[in-house]
Amino acid sequence: MKLSRLAAGAAGGIGLAAFVNKTLSQRAEPLEPPLEGYQGTYRWKGFDITYTEAGDPDNPDVLLLHGLHAAATNKEFEQIFQQLATQYHVIAPDLPGFGRSSRPPVDYSASLYISFVTDFAKDMTDDGICLASSISGSYATIVQNETDTFSRLELICPTANTGPQRGWLRMLLRSPLVGTALFNALASKRSIRRFNERDGYFSEASYTEKDVEFEWQTAHQPGARFAPASFVSGHLNPDADLGEELAQVDVPVSLVWGRDAKVTPLDYGEQLADEGDTRLIVFDEARLLPHVEHPGPFLDVLFDELAPLEPQ
């Protein structure tokens, strides 16, 4: 009797999880482009990579690489994209497995993203400036050392370590039923708000419910769990010491940090700046996303740094 009840309970739980997963997937709508500009598609190794492009193509190129997390997209640059495009030719892709780009069930890895950034920058930019956030900053740094692609690096709270590798966690999140249910919990609106309040932003005024809704929608697109499964399990960490990589870069580099950042604390930024002999710019009342929380002051600093590159 006890075994039959246990089996019945397990079956009921599986059925409920399947129902919830299906219901949430039906609520997700196709994503609209969050950035205004030309909407293009770059075909890369079986992926359809979407990107938004704006600004005069004769102006210096700026490549924007968003950070990686469960709801990552190029919307991260919404607050600065149009203003940057008044003086630069700006290109912002959705990285493989995120946003409006393809999300196939491949094994996402740091080498995949480094390879993508290498190819995309080579094909879509010419001696461009790279503005990269979080772990994408480490990819851009490695690409620069390997290919000498960029004329300058502007890195926002860069990191090369999001935690230890846990193969069991990636396998669990990639599983069809349980993995989908766990990822739905990880990417629920409650969890998104909690991350924003605790780690993303210093002030709740920096984001809106509309932003939370977009993040929820992008985290519930078909295949949305596969790339984040590699991220949260540490499989997107590059096999490199970021401080040593920064020390080898032969173009100007600036690090931008939020003074109250928790995921990548300021003392880590100070350590990287010291090891890499780079400039460190710190924004008060900001955490992981100073370019979102303080777009005006951020652009003032950026335009001042890039002034020698502006077209005459």
Side-chain angles (χ1 to χ4, degrees), residues 253-270:
V253 180
S254 291
L255 306 181
V256 181
W257 232 270
R259 187 174 299 280
D260 298 283
K262 295 182 178 180
V263 176
T264 50
L266 178 57
D267 57 0
Y268 176 64
E270 293 170 339

Side-chain angles (χ1 to χ4, degrees), residues 189-198 207 209 212:
K189 289 184 179 180
R190 180 179 180 182
S191 294
I192 290 170
R193 291 191 193 97
R194 185 184 178 199
F195 174 82
N196 288 341
E197 293 170 4
R198 182 190 61 196
Y207 68 96
E209 279 302 305
V212 172

Side-chain angles (χ1 to χ4, degrees), residues 74-310:
N74 64 8
K75 187 180 187 296
E76 178 180 329
F77 299 106
E78 183 179 33
Q79 299 296 327
I80 63 174
F81 188 76
Q82 287 301 318
Q83 189 64 24
L84 267 178
T86 64
Q87 298 186 40
Y88 297 92
H89 177 228
V90 189
I91 305 174
D94 280 323
L95 296 179
F98 293 95
R100 296 167 59 241
S101 292
S102 299
R103 307 191 191 203
V106 301
D107 286 335
Y108 292 87
S109 64
S111 61
L112 181 147
Y113 288 102
I114 291 168
S115 178
F116 167 74
V117 172
T118 298
D119 293 342
F120 188 86
K122 177 183 176 182
D123 293 340
M124 301 296 292
T125 69
D126 182 15
D127 200 30
I129 303 151
C130 185
L131 176 60
S133 175
S134 190
I135 197 169
S136 294
S138 66
Y139 302 152
T141 303
I142 294 168
V143 169
Q144 176 59 24
N145 283 335
E146 292 180 349
T147 66
D148 197 27
T149 297
F150 303 115
S151 61
R152 185 180 193 101
L153 296 177
E154 299 284 336
L155 309 179
I156 305 167
C157 295
T159 183
N161 186 359
T162 61
Q165 282 199 6
R166 293 170 290 184
W168 64 268
L169 180 57
R170 181 170 67 169
M171 185 180 299
L172 185 62
L173 285 170
R174 288 176 62 90
S175 64
L177 182 61
V178 176
T180 300
L182 288 174
F183 185 72
N184 283 338
L186 176 69
S188 68
K189 289 184 179 180
R190 180 179 180 182
S191 294
I192 290 170
R193 291 191 193 97
R194 185 184 178 199
F195 174 82
N196 288 341
E197 293 170 4
R198 182 190 61 196
D199 299 318
Y201 303 100
F202 179 85
S203 170
E204 291 185 19
S206 298
Y207 68 96
T208 66
E209 279 302 305
K210 185 177 179 180
D211 296 322
V212 172
E213 176 64 24
F214 185 90
E215 290 180 296
W216 186 91
Q217 289 288 342
T218 191
H220 288 81
Q221 298 297 304
R225 74 185 186 279
F226 295 117
S230 289
F231 174 72
V232 301
S233 62
H235 284 82
L236 298 189
N237 297 337
D239 185 18
D241 183 292
L242 184 53
E244 293 179 1
E245 291 289 336
L246 286 170
Q248 297 176 33
V249 174
D250 59 358
V251 298
V253 180
S254 291
L255 306 181
V256 181
W257 232 270
R259 187 174 299 280
D260 298 283
K262 295 182 178 180
V263 176
T264 50
L266 178 57
D267 57 0
Y268 176 64
E270 293 170 339
Q271 176 186 333
L272 287 181
D274 182 60
E275 293 177 356
D277 192 22
T278 67
R279 184 184 182 192
L280 176 63
I281 303 162
V282 180
F283 283 86
D284 292 331
E285 297 186 355
R287 287 185 178 157
L288 192 61
L289 303 164
H291 54 308
V292 181
E293 295 207 76
H294 305 291
F298 178 87
L299 284 169
D300 288 343
V301 170
L302 187 62
F303 282 141
D304 183 62
E305 288 206 313
L306 302 184
L309 300 176
E310 292 179 8

